[in-house]
Amino acid sequence: MNVTGHQRRPASIRDVATAAGVSYQTVSRVINDHPSVKAATRERVLAAIDELGFRRSATALALARGRSRAVTVLTADTTHYGYASILQGIEEAARAASHTVGIGVLESAAETAVAAVVQRAADTGGGVIVIAYDPAGVRALNAVPAGLPVVGVVETPAGPPTGDRPWVWTDDREAAYEATRYLLSLGHETVHYVAIPSGARRTGARSAGWREALREAGAPQPRALRGGWSPADGHAAGRRLAADPVVTAILCGNDDLALGVLRALHEAGRSVPGEVSVTGFDDAPHAAHLTPSLTTVRLDFTGLGRSAFALLHGMLEESAQSAPYPVAAPELVVRESSGVAPARD
Amino acid sequence: MNVTGHQRRPASIRDVATAAGVSYQTVSRVINDHPSVKAATRERVLAAIDELGFRRSATALALARGRSRAVTVLTADTTHYGYASILQGIEEAARAASHTVGIGVLESAAETAVAAVVQRAADTGGGVIVIAYDPAGVRALNAVPAGLPVVGVVETPAGPPTGDRPWVWTDDREAAYEATRYLLSLGHETVHYVAIPSGARRTGARSAGWREALREAGAPQPRALRGGWSPADGHAAGRRLAADPVVTAILCGNDDLALGVLRALHEAGRSVPGEVSVTGFDDAPHAAHLTPSLTTVRLDFTGLGRSAFALLHGMLEESAQSAPYPVAAPELVVRESSGVAPARD
DNA sequence: GCCCCTAGTGTGACCGGTCACACTTCTGCT
DNA sequence: AGCAGAAGTGTGACCGGTCACACTAGGGGC
């Protein structure tokens, strides 16, 4: 193999062809494993390929073939555990289908910035997967131009997906409902909720599940606290809750929020789970190793990612009508941070 | 604008040209803001573009122009906070330079799998950034074929980078050195270390900094405990350390390990920082909100990512000799998990 | 009136692959 | 011997843009 790393432009199939003394089409046949090439010829071509260090250009391939075996993932933040896991699931599935994964971060809430990122994804060709749990993601999903294949990863939707813009989700509404019922079953009079920023203008799915469980049980329905995503947001919300002696059970929209809440309760001298029970969402790796370890809801993020890709893949290539990838149902994981309600005065 | 989402193939510049009654070259001039186009003509072309919903194909552009304004990031895990932050930094800088960011995950340790991922990145064209803190990443970096522009994000290297394969790093060696000195200054006889899996066959940079500080102070040099990346790994290592009454100070290779160590110490009934001081690495968002809050070293991951891209960008386009992006020096952040050594018997 | 220069536009080839089809051989059958 | 069909190979056009260059029309200097 040619190791002289000289900057000269990479070899094309025509270079290989001349080197091997055949036509470019024959080279094309060899690299595509076409059967009708004489063994001897194939040998010569392969030798030339090796000699020249030829690699088939994915760009030219995409142009010639029509479509591009590429997926772009749009997300507000790569750092968030859930998002990162979804991304990883997508990449895994995409790799298996020999697709390429691109990424666009929607960091700022600026409308124009989101539009620009979406544009770039659209230009790249292939399909788009939007992680649309938060406002930025939802905006991005809406900004995707019609006709471009796209799949949204969303909170449990209220209705069925609109025709050309399919969704994928785990039933976090049901999960929030279950988690709330669990806390109520421990004797808590009601459950307070620290919310993640919801994507929809209306209240999010987790929030809805929580509220439904309270209503069903005839429990008081406090207002949800608008949190963010981070431990710092949880800490801020936790301080408000810690100051209220009525609060004995807190459901948090994710584990990071719960972490901050735990900290705030600690600072206020309220013991967990003795005086207050805390529950998270997601089952991030650290949840099990906090002190106290965190009761939370395990979500199958990577499965969700794989599923999103499978769906998109089916849209891109009608041949590959890949069956919907199975996503594990959310599962309540009970640990130390939740317990029976303290005796009421 | 054409909203009939019919599946028909997207409009090309020739379609626009016929619609506007000009040549394809004129369309090309318009979309490239070439000055010498009559205003009236430009108007007509722009109208046609809007009418047909034309979008310039990034694929064709890349093919025609030669190079591709694309970067692929190779990482072992998108979930890890440090890695995710680096990725985010890269994406930010790439977007500013209107480059596209691809991602490849090196999950499994299988040699062949790594090679395959690298291959795919190479075929995509453009440059590659490899996050090479761990064995999989280092393998990937080595597997990158010669001639392909690549930048590695690495631990503090022992020597200068080899010619064609530049590196980028924060001085985590120095940071580990400082953190260790800090712990020693609190009166601890020595400091134990829970290591992240090092990339190099030799011991990693953080480990080296730690050891150097101990040697300099004439302190006993215990063996480093081989941890992993996760809280569970930290927990396992922490249990071993908790059982040893001699241990009063623990430096951890990252915050997740520290989290697990904290938990293990708690389970063993050893108080932090009363009996044992614990220090992390990275300053992940949760470090400040743990109980006790975690003393750690803040690393500028996003800056590192931006810097890696800037370097690669300079390699791809000799014009853009972008000055090396500034990366903030590591900074020790003292919180509750560290304190003066307990009085010795 | 001639020429030169510039503004504005069009033509052909090319990037690196693929596809559709035409062209040679060789083999096997009548 | 003659011919059909398959195996093996080559030619031209195309994907959607760009580049280099040629061309036309209009304005100013002589």
Side-chain angles (χ1 to χ4, degrees):
Chain A
M1 176 165 130
N2 178 3
V3 194
T4 69
H6 282 316
Q7 279 298 54
R8 69 150 163 273
R9 124 179 108 60
S12 76
I13 54 168
R14 326 225 177 207
D15 299 331
V16 174
T18 27
V22 296
S23 79
Y24 52 83
Q25 181 60 281
T26 300
V27 176
S28 174
R29 289 199 181 91
V30 169
I31 58 186
N32 287 308
D33 284 326
H34 190 92
S36 70
V37 175
K38 197 156 44 174
T41 312
R42 181 187 309 278
E43 283 309 313
R44 260 188 306 149
V45 171
L46 287 176
I49 285 178
D50 199 46
E51 168 73 23
L52 272 60
F54 165 84
R55 0 205 54 244
R56 175 224 245 124
S57 155
T59 306
L61 187 74
L63 184 58
R65 280 231 231 262
R67 274 297 155 198
S68 73
R69 302 184 92 61
V71 187
T72 304
V73 179
L74 265 30
T75 176
D77 183 2
T78 60
T79 277
H80 178 62
Y81 171 71
Y83 292 179
S85 299
I86 292 172
L87 174 60
Q88 194 141 331
I90 292 171
E91 200 277 345
E92 186 186 322
R95 179 143 40 87
S98 59
H99 276 233
T100 266
V101 180
I103 184 164
V105 177
L106 310 163
E107 47 165 6
S108 77
E111 192 82 32
T112 58
V114 168
V117 174
V118 173
Q119 289 293 351
R120 225 157 41 87
D123 292 347
T124 302
V128 175
I129 295 176
V130 182
I131 300 182
Y133 279 113
D134 50 70
V138 170
R139 260 205 302 279
L141 190 54
N142 292 331
V144 171
L148 183 70
V150 59
V151 168
V153 182
V154 299
E155 289 188 313
T156 314
T162 48
D164 62 337
R165 202 153 291 197
W167 297 334
V168 139
W169 71 91
T170 41
D171 201 345
D172 39 12
R173 184 186 210 282
E174 174 71 11
Y177 173 82
E178 292 294 349
T180 307
R181 280 181 55 93
Y182 158 74
L183 287 169
L184 292 174
S185 77
L186 292 173
H188 297 279
E189 191 192 346
T190 190
V191 176
H192 291 255
Y193 180 58
V194 180
I196 50 176
S198 170
R201 187 160 301 159
R202 302 164 301 100
T203 169
R206 297 184 187 181
S207 175
W210 158 70
R211 193 167 292 283
E212 185 183 339
L214 291 186
R215 189 173 46 236
E216 231 181 70
Q221 299 184 31
R223 290 194 51 175
L225 272 77
R226 265 206 82 201
W229 291 102
S230 70
D233 296 320
H235 186 244
R239 266 155 77 163
R240 301 233 294 284
L241 291 170
D244 184 350
V246 171
V247 175
T248 66
I250 305 175
L251 176 68
C252 299
N254 75 27
D255 289 347
D256 277 347
L257 288 173
L259 185 83
V261 167
L262 243 31
R263 171 74 191 184
L265 291 171
H266 170 79
E267 287 171 357
R270 303 196 64 185
S271 75
V272 176
E275 299 173 53
V276 184
S277 287
V278 175
T279 295
F281 229 101
D282 291 359
D283 196 25
H286 57 71
H289 295 89
L290 293 176
T291 306
S293 61
L294 192 63
T295 293
T296 188
V297 176
R298 178 175 304 152
L299 297 183
D300 182 11
F301 286 119
T302 51
L304 199 54
R306 283 190 287 259
S307 167
F309 175 80
L311 189 55
L312 184 64
H313 191 45
M315 297 169 65
L316 291 173
E317 304 175 35
E318 64 289 348
S319 62
Q321 265 304 352
S322 35
Y325 194 92
V327 178
E331 179 190 357
L332 183 68
V333 181
V334 177
R335 298 205 182 93
E336 297 167 356
S337 69
S338 57
V340 292
R344 299 184 200 165
D345 305 324
Chain B
M1 175 167 133
N2 177 3
V3 194
T4 70
H6 282 315
Q7 280 297 53
R8 69 150 165 272
R9 123 180 108 58
S12 75
I13 55 168
R14 324 223 178 208
D15 300 330
V16 174
T18 24
V22 296
S23 80
Y24 54 81
Q25 180 61 282
T26 300
V27 176
S28 175
R29 289 199 180 92
V30 170
I31 58 185
N32 287 309
D33 285 324
H34 190 91
S36 71
V37 175
K38 196 153 47 172
T41 313
R42 182 187 308 278
E43 285 308 315
R44 258 188 308 148
V45 171
L46 287 176
I49 285 178
D50 199 47
E51 168 73 24
L52 273 61
F54 166 82
R55 355 207 57 243
R56 174 224 246 122
S57 153
T59 306
L61 187 76
L63 183 58
R65 281 231 229 264
R67 274 296 156 199
S68 73
R69 303 182 93 60
V71 188
T72 305
V73 179
L74 264 30
T75 175
D77 183 1
T78 60
T79 276
H80 178 61
Y81 171 72
Y83 292 177
S85 299
I86 292 172
L87 174 60
Q88 195 142 329
I90 292 171
E91 199 276 346
E92 187 186 321
R95 179 142 39 88
S98 59
H99 276 234
T100 266
V101 179
I103 185 164
V105 177
L106 310 164
E107 45 164 7
S108 77
E111 192 83 31
T112 58
V114 169
V117 175
V118 173
Q119 288 294 351
R120 225 154 43 86
D123 293 346
T124 303
V128 175
I129 296 177
V130 183
I131 300 182
Y133 280 113
D134 49 69
V138 171
R139 259 205 303 278
L141 189 54
N142 292 332
V144 171
L148 183 70
V150 59
V151 168
V153 181
V154 299
E155 289 189 314
T156 315
T162 47
D164 62 337
R165 202 153 293 197
W167 298 332
V168 140
W169 71 91
T170 41
D171 201 345
D172 41 12
R173 184 185 208 282
E174 174 72 12
Y177 173 83
E178 292 294 350
T180 307
R181 280 182 55 94
Y182 157 75
L183 287 169
L184 292 174
S185 77
L186 292 173
H188 296 281
E189 190 192 347
T190 189
V191 175
H192 291 255
Y193 180 58
V194 179
I196 50 176
S198 171
R201 188 160 302 161
R202 303 163 299 102
T203 170
R206 297 183 187 181
S207 174
W210 158 70
R211 194 168 291 285
E212 185 183 339
L214 292 185
R215 188 174 48 236
E216 230 181 70
Q221 299 183 32
R223 290 193 53 174
L225 273 77
R226 264 206 84 201
W229 291 104
S230 69
D233 295 320
H235 186 244
R239 265 156 77 161
R240 301 234 294 283
L241 291 170
D244 183 349
V246 172
V247 174
T248 67
I250 305 174
L251 176 67
C252 300
N254 74 27
D255 288 347
D256 276 347
L257 287 174
L259 185 83
V261 167
L262 244 31
R263 170 74 192 185
L265 290 171
H266 169 79
E267 287 171 356
R270 302 196 65 184
S271 75
V272 176
E275 300 173 55
V276 184
S277 286
V278 175
T279 294
F281 229 100
D282 293 357
D283 195 25
H286 57 69
H289 295 88
L290 293 176
T291 307
S293 62
L294 192 64
T295 294
T296 188
V297 176
R298 178 175 304 153
L299 297 183
D300 182 13
F301 286 118
T302 50
L304 198 55
R306 284 189 289 259
S307 167
F309 175 79
L311 189 55
L312 184 64
H313 191 46
M315 297 169 67
L316 291 173
E317 303 174 37
E318 64 290 350
S319 61
Q321 265 305 351
S322 36
Y325 193 95
V327 179
E331 179 191 357
L332 183 69
V333 181
V334 176
R335 299 207 182 91
E336 297 168 356
S337 68
S338 58
V340 292
R344 299 184 199 166
D345 307 322

